Amino acid sequence: MVVNCDAEVQSAKCIEQSAKKNAMHHARSNSEERMKQELEKVEQEALEALKAVSDLAEGKALKTQYLGRKGAVTAFLRKISSLPPEKRAETGRLANEVKKRLEEAFEKTLQAFESDQGETAGDALDVTLTGRPIARGRLHPITQITQAICEIFQRLGFEIVEGPDVELDYYNFEALNIPRDHPARDMQDTFYVSDNIVLRTHTSPIQVRVMEKQSPPVRIIAPGKAYRVDSDISHTPMFHQVEGLMVQEDISLGDLKGILTTFVHQIFDEETSLRFRPSFFPFTEPSAEVDIRCVICRGKGCRVCSHTGWLEVLGAGMVHPAVFEMVGYDTDRYTGFAFGMGVERIAMLKFGIEDIRKFYENDLRFLEQF
Ligand code: DAH
């Protein structure tokens, strides 16, 4: 019994003791748990607050608040010493991890603010600076002049027509009364694509293409590119021409003169007189080169007109009957005139440019002047 009793007493004591122990253990593990939760809360709070920070000073203050000597995380690390020794290591490790994570997060945010400041410190927003202009496109001077030429002829009742740049030998030469192996071909240094295909050397083939399809009356203007093996201060391998053609009954050289005089007066001015100089083109008879009074010196003589007082601006003439025959026009009934002018030449005179190559160098300082 005694033993039993003792044993009972023993066991009661034991129970009591172990209950106490348990309670203590419980209390300890409770406080460990609480600390972990507290730690999590501190981390969450710090990260939330960091997100709301709007400048470097605010960020630095917040960092001190959490990671400084008297900061929340530091205070927490100190408290770890109150934990039972066997729990310190685990909680300490967690706390140090949180500390490291927060340090990294602060570092990142502060650095971002610092580099922002660096950028604006040197060249802070200067509201007195003039604005940056928005670059606007414009039409190339050659396009502008081509359009101006076409508009004048449109007002005179001419219709605009276009044709292919890569042209058959037939339209570029043969149908214009320039047979194969004829010396007249030497007038134009041709880019041959093949035996029968060329890059058109002028816009005159468009005349033929139109007349093939349409019977008189015809009144057309044909702008476009032309190509010749030639390059110097007044020639580029690609250049622009405007071709004109008017065919109906009773068209005379007088009509040609009238139309061209009106054109010259409108593209230059009313004071600009013109003269017809006899010339030769295989597709016209008679043919003429048309000169205008020098628009620079007004006829006194200057470098631009080689001291002649005149400038050559276009070729023209009465359409050769051989050309009409090629397209099946009745040569007894119809007559017509044709002319062709270089757009660059007109543009150079209007804008006072001495080197044709400037148009195609794509130098914006040049192009933006027009
Ligand atoms: N096609 C000629 C040339 O490029 C210019 C020309 C002259 C066209 C007389 C014509 C014309 O229509 O009748 O040099």
Side-chain angles (χ1 to χ4, degrees), residues 187-188 201-204 207 228 239 241 243-244 281 283-284 287-288 314-318 337-341:
M187 285 171 79
Q188 302 178 352
T201 58
H202 48 184
T203 43
S204 306
Q207 284 186 29
R228 287 187 205 176
F239 57 103
Q241 285 191 335
E243 182 80 11
F281 296 104
F283 33 90
T284 43
S287 303
L314 52 87
M318 301 305 292
F337 65 73
F339 58 85
M341 68 185 93

Side-chain angles (χ1 to χ4, degrees), residues 15-79:
I15 289 166
E16 200 183 297
Q17 261 178 10
S18 85
K20 261 191 194 164
K21 238 185 183 172
N22 267 343
M24 265 173 72
H25 178 79
H26 204 62
R28 273 180 192 153
S29 58
N30 262 351
S31 70
E32 191 194 349
E33 199 50 44
R34 264 207 316 277
M35 279 181 88
K36 268 192 203 167
Q37 281 170 4
E38 207 182 309
L39 193 58
E40 265 170 31
K41 217 176 113 197
V42 170
E43 185 179 9
Q44 282 304 317
E45 260 178 31
L47 290 174
E48 282 300 315
L50 187 59
K51 269 193 219 157
V53 160
S54 61
D55 62 32
L56 186 63
E58 214 182 298
K60 278 183 175 168
L62 192 69
K63 188 177 175 188
T64 314
Q65 198 183 317
Y66 281 96
L67 298 166
R69 260 187 322 122
K70 291 178 186 161
V73 178
T74 321
F76 189 89
L77 281 163
R78 289 211 186 97
K79 267 204 284 189

Side-chain angles (χ1 to χ4, degrees), residues 329-341:
Y329 276 13
D330 180 348
T331 53
D332 289 332
R333 188 168 168 203
Y334 298 114
T335 48
F337 65 73
F339 58 85
M341 68 185 93

Side-chain angles (χ1 to χ4, degrees), residues 41-251:
K41 217 176 113 197
V42 170
E43 185 179 9
Q44 282 304 317
E45 260 178 31
L47 290 174
E48 282 300 315
L50 187 59
K51 269 193 219 157
V53 160
S54 61
D55 62 32
L56 186 63
E58 214 182 298
K60 278 183 175 168
L62 192 69
K63 188 177 175 188
T64 314
Q65 198 183 317
Y66 281 96
L67 298 166
R69 260 187 322 122
K70 291 178 186 161
V73 178
T74 321
F76 189 89
L77 281 163
R78 289 211 186 97
K79 267 204 284 189
I80 290 173
S81 54
S82 64
L83 286 175
E86 73 273 14
K87 299 295 172 196
R88 280 181 208 158
E90 169 66 4
T91 314
R93 191 181 57 76
L94 286 175
N96 275 319
E97 272 174 19
V98 168
K99 189 181 171 197
K100 206 172 145 216
R101 277 202 296 274
L102 286 180
E103 273 170 352
E104 279 168 8
F106 273 98
E107 197 52 27
K108 213 168 136 189
T109 307
L110 295 184
Q111 253 178 23
F113 281 125
E114 269 164 6
S115 63
D116 273 3
Q117 256 191 3
E119 264 171 36
T120 45
D123 51 349
L125 177 68
D126 180 354
V127 292
T128 66
L129 276 177
T130 47
R132 293 198 184 118
I134 296 165
R136 289 245 224 117
R138 71 190 67 214
L139 294 177
H140 190 279
I142 294 302
T143 309
Q144 290 180 35
I145 296 294
T146 306
Q147 288 184 352
I149 295 171
C150 289
E151 276 165 24
I152 294 170
F153 284 104
Q154 275 180 303
R155 286 199 291 271
L156 293 169
F158 286 72
E159 204 184 308
I160 298 180
V161 188
E162 290 186 347
D165 289 27
V166 182
E167 186 55 284
L168 290 172
D169 181 285
Y170 176 78
Y171 289 109
N172 195 79
F173 294 123
E174 277 179 60
L176 287 166
N177 200 27
I178 313 172
R180 256 176 212 281
D181 307 318
H182 193 282
R185 287 209 178 188
D186 290 349
M187 285 171 79
Q188 302 178 352
D189 296 307
T190 311
F191 284 109
Y192 279 89
V193 175
S194 70
D195 261 2
N196 284 320
I197 300 172
V198 300
L199 296 188
R200 69 178 176 205
T201 58
H202 48 184
T203 43
S204 306
I206 301 172
Q207 284 186 29
V208 183
R209 287 181 172 272
V210 169
M211 288 191 285
E212 268 186 352
K213 289 207 196 82
Q214 182 186 330
S215 39
V218 171
R219 202 183 295 190
I220 56 121
I221 193 91
K225 292 181 170 64
Y227 306 83
R228 287 187 205 176
V229 186
D230 214 347
S231 183
D232 58 41
I233 192 165
S234 55
H235 298 90
T236 46
M238 183 282 300
F239 57 103
H240 295 77
Q241 285 191 335
V242 172
E243 182 80 11
L245 173 72
M246 183 165 177
V247 184
Q248 63 191 59
E249 284 170 24
D250 298 327
I251 288 287

Side-chain angles (χ1 to χ4, degrees), residues 348-361:
M348 285 164 83
L349 293 173
K350 268 194 85 73
F351 296 133
I353 294 154
E354 294 191 5
D355 186 343
I356 191 176
R357 293 168 294 197
K358 288 250 181 302
F359 287 124
Y360 303 113
E361 281 169 359

